[in-house]
Amino acid sequence: MHRHCQPTLTCCGGIVAIQGCHGIVSVFRLFSSLDFFVKALDGFKEHDRALRYLTVSAMLCKAIWHLIDHVLWLAKLNLIKLESTLWGKTSNWVWLLGLVLLTSRDVYNVKVRKVRDSKMYRELAKDACDVMLPVGNLDLIPYHDSGTAGLFGTISSLIGAYDIWIKVEGKKQV
């Protein structure tokens, strides 16, 4: 969130409203950590041991990252008090670890399992672009600025939007 953007929580007639930047996005993502825990459990069904390890570990990292994100959001709403800088840095490290594991899974699928479909290559490109976001937040590379983060974030988002488009168009044709 931007420094000048302070979300507020209001209650009117039993309905809770979040006002401010990105508040509604956080509400929609509120249960995403549960979704990633379920995906981690599903990963145990994978027969390939390396793929199982990479998938389960990556999904657990993403679930923990989202949980930390929720805690940080509650702190921004002044519902809890905590050391936001430390929690933010921890969040970025967990996010980075999850993305490195996902990218490793994608490379493993392409190089070892010889998966050669375009969806796999898009997933690899998307995950590799996403890695750059926490790397920049953690100041791990010297040339990273908001423009670089924006470029990688845009590429990743466009790939994700394209995948959704394909899914929607595929359902229309069935």
Side-chain angles (χ1 to χ4, degrees), residues 99 127-137 141 143-144 148-149 152:
L99 289 170
D127 289 339
C129 285
D130 283 343
V131 164
M132 299 308 292
L133 301 173
V135 162
N137 292 344
I141 51 177
Y143 60 86
H144 198 281
T148 307
F152 285 114

